Amino acid sequence: SKQSPRNFKTLAEVRREIDRLEDVIVPLICQRYHAVTQAAQFKPSVKGVVVKSRVEEIVSRVRRMAKSFSANPDAIETVYRSMINVYTKDEQRNWRKIHKR
């Protein structure tokens, strides 16, 4: 659900909220990681792991989502591009392992 940003009264409160959010976010990031690395089995080649149009589709989508949550879309794009780059390297490694090339 879309919620307005909270107004915290102390730094300790902010840090507790960040910790709580990380407890939710990290498992989801890990699930995304595992899905991405498994995608390697369906890709035709190690170069085929990266589909630029798909990357741009994802970036456009998360930018729209960021705007809808009143967040900085440039910041969210930076986070996602970094995540995609790291995941791509692992997916390529997994592709080589699956296809023994």
Side-chain angles (χ1 to χ4, degrees), residues 15-29 31:
R15 287 179 174 163
R16 277 193 301 275
E17 179 65 359
I18 289 169
D19 291 346
R20 184 192 72 75
L21 290 168
E22 286 171 345
D23 289 344
V24 175
I25 294 168
V26 171
L28 294 173
I29 290 172
Q31 286 177 25

Side-chain angles (χ1 to χ4, degrees), residues 64-81:
R64 284 191 306 275
M65 290 173 67
K67 288 177 189 173
S68 77
F69 282 95
S70 301
N72 178 349
D74 294 336
I76 301 304
E77 177 177 346
T78 298
V79 168
Y80 262 78
R81 285 194 186 276

Side-chain angles (χ1 to χ4, degrees), residues 6-18:
R6 282 183 51 193
N7 292 317
F8 298 99
K9 298 192 185 342
T10 67
L11 180 57
E13 225 179 272
V14 172
R15 287 179 174 163
R16 277 193 301 275
E17 179 65 359
I18 289 169

Side-chain angles (χ1 to χ4, degrees), residues 45-85:
S45 67
V46 75
K47 281 189 172 187
V49 163
V50 180
V51 178
K52 290 183 192 275
S53 62
R54 175 64 177 148
V55 171
E56 295 311 313
E57 178 185 318
I58 292 166
V59 168
S60 293
R61 181 170 179 266
V62 299
R63 286 185 65 86
R64 284 191 306 275
M65 290 173 67
K67 288 177 189 173
S68 77
F69 282 95
S70 301
N72 178 349
D74 294 336
I76 301 304
E77 177 177 346
T78 298
V79 168
Y80 262 78
R81 285 194 186 276
S82 177
M83 184 169 53
I84 289 167
N85 287 335

